Amino acid sequence: MNRYILLFIIACTFSSTSLAQDRISLKECRSMALKRNKSLVIGQIKQQQAYYNSKAAKTNYLPKISATAGYLYTNNEISILNDKQKSSLSNIGTNLTGKFGEIAGNILQQHPELAPLIQAAGQYMPQVGQALNGVGKDIVDAFRTDTRNMMGATILLSQPLYMGGKIRAYHKITHYAEEIAGEQLRADEQETLLEVDQAYWQVVSLANKKKLATDYLKTLKNIHSDILKMIDEGVATKANELSVSVKVNEAEMTLTKVEDGLTLSRMLLNQICGLPIDTSFLLYDETLESLSLQDSNIQVDTLSAFLKRPEIQQLERATDLYKEKVKIERSAFLPHLALTGGYLTTYPGLTNGFEKRFRGTWNVGVMLSLPLWNWGEGYYKVKAAKADATIAQYEMADAKEKITLQLHQAAFRVNEAQKKLAISLKNEEKATENLRVAQLGFKEGVIPTSDLLAAQTAWLQAQSEKIDAQIDIKLSQVLFNKAQGTLSEQ
């Protein structure tokens, strides 16, 4: 086990070392960001969520089967007969034999000759009364429900036939929501790519400025060393040395600020790319002497932008979605028709009297629901839903106007950046020649230290402006591509 742990540590160390030594291109940074950026991972999960909601909505077309079971205990059972009826039935024989004497007397008054027969029948009346009482008791027991312990279970199948268009509208809504989630993910990807490009070129800019600041500081230190020698020879003053020392201190402070900014910019790029913020690696463009710039032929195509911008696609789907919501609100006040079927079983059983056993029965039916009067509730809800759809249409029109303006602004910025680069290249050429002349004059002793420092400062500023102009062209092109909706295609 220890051997495997050691191999894992060595592999991780080697991987980290190779990452630190390799040069990472902009394309590789983009690829890492698209795979590892946490915001994009969240967007992908939301897209999957919308997909599952769409699949769930589709099941509403299909029949649903549900099962329900329950148990109920009551203190008293349900009684079909009241107490008076139970007593009458249980004593039906006694009541009949009790009236036998009265009936027999009436018969004897009219038919005295039946006296022997009635006397013989009277001998059997107690037995007949008892038998009739037993029959009555059996009838009372047969009417007992014994419903103190009741159980039931049912399986129900329901198939919607017509729901006022609600099922179809809801399915379309979830489908549009899935498309909106996909467009939102595409918008997040473009925003992430923009952040990657901005952070990447920020690192490249600061890396080049760090080299520039380092060379400038080295040059100033050489000048300072020459001034000290000239002081010893008596051809320079202490004031000259102090002015150079001030410039050296300023250059050291500038270098410190650039190094701190470069470190923070690398951390930001790591965070966007989904890497640990302390990861160290070189960017491909920061090691180049000069950035490669392509002649960009800027052409504003608003129609193409409308087709490619995810924001417009989202608003179009949102407009369709709100139109379907209008149908859902309207469907609540239309007839609903459904087919039902199932199986019901109960204890005690109800299909053959109240039996102490489970008995069940199948059932099939049709259910119709028709709202008759709701005081205009449906009308108002439909109007409110139509207002949402109208708002979405105006939002899309407003977005198109803003995108058109954004496109022209991005195009102007690209052209401005190109002009800025051309001017900075001329300034660099002049500043370089001015510095060369100043250095020669300083060596010959015909140019004072202040002029040399001014030429050095002008050269540094020209170089810095050149770097800024090159980076500005890169960023302006990225912003234009994003405004055109083609950033992910680059």
Side-chain angles (χ1 to χ4, degrees), residues 329-346:
E329 294 296 342
R330 186 183 292 117
S331 70
F333 304 94
L334 294 176
H336 290 180
L337 182 64
L339 175 67
T340 62
Y343 181 79
L344 172 66
T345 181
T346 62

Side-chain angles (χ1 to χ4, degrees), residues 56-64 159-160 167-172:
K58 195 174 181 179
T59 62
N60 290 326
Y61 291 105
L62 305 175
K64 299 290 193 305
Q159 171 64 59
I167 295 177
R168 179 178 298 177
Y170 182 65
H171 182 213
K172 288 184 177 180

